Amino acid sequence: MTNAVDSGTANRPEACPRCGAADTVAVAEATETSGCMHFAEGTVLALMAGAAGKYYADERDLPWLTAVGALVAVLLFVGTIAIVRSENRDARRARAAVDRAAAAGTVATHYCAACREASSRLDAGNA
């Protein structure tokens, strides 16, 4: 998506004026999470793994597959929770960086995960 006002440069990643990292993201993207959707996806995958283990244990008369399916389901669920927590932590860090930038009088447009700071295009000239 481009913005006609600035000739399509609004959504392009740009280098961080503080640390030089080239993978900054827009503030709106960094501060939002889709944790609920990730949790639903992970739960569905975990349930499918558990059900598959039970199904194949019954079909092939191998009862140990039930335990394998349950173990895979637990690992998927733990991984899902870790991902959701990490995503929420990153969003909290981005919101704190935006608040720090606002307190300093800067309108933050990009967030750099490397230095955990928010900046605007105007900061590039002041760096």
Side-chain angles (χ1 to χ4, degrees):
M1 179 174 202
T2 60
N3 187 347
V5 174
D6 60 353
S7 303
T9 61
N11 297 325
R12 265 195 330 216
E14 54 186 60
C16 175
R18 289 178 176 80
C19 69
D23 57 346
T24 62
V25 295
V27 166
E29 184 180 331
T31 57
E32 294 179 3
T33 66
S34 58
C36 197
M37 182 58 120
H38 286 231
F39 182 77
E41 291 170 345
T43 302
V44 168
L45 287 173
L47 289 173
M48 288 174 60
K54 177 69 173 141
Y55 173 77
Y56 283 111
D58 290 343
E59 182 181 282
R60 297 185 179 162
D61 198 26
L62 297 171
W64 58 271
L65 285 178
T66 302
V68 170
L71 179 64
V72 170
V74 167
L75 289 175
L76 280 170
F77 196 68
V78 168
T80 297
I81 290 172
I83 288 170
V84 170
R85 286 176 52 95
S86 174
E87 189 176 79
N88 286 338
R89 185 180 322 115
D90 292 344
R92 281 194 313 267
R93 287 176 179 162
R95 284 191 293 272
V98 170
D99 291 343
R100 284 193 304 271
T106 301
V107 177
T109 58
H110 284 78
Y111 173 72
C112 175
C115 66
R116 295 184 181 156
E117 290 298 328
S119 61
S120 69
R121 293 195 173 121
L122 301 175
D123 288 346
N126 299 333

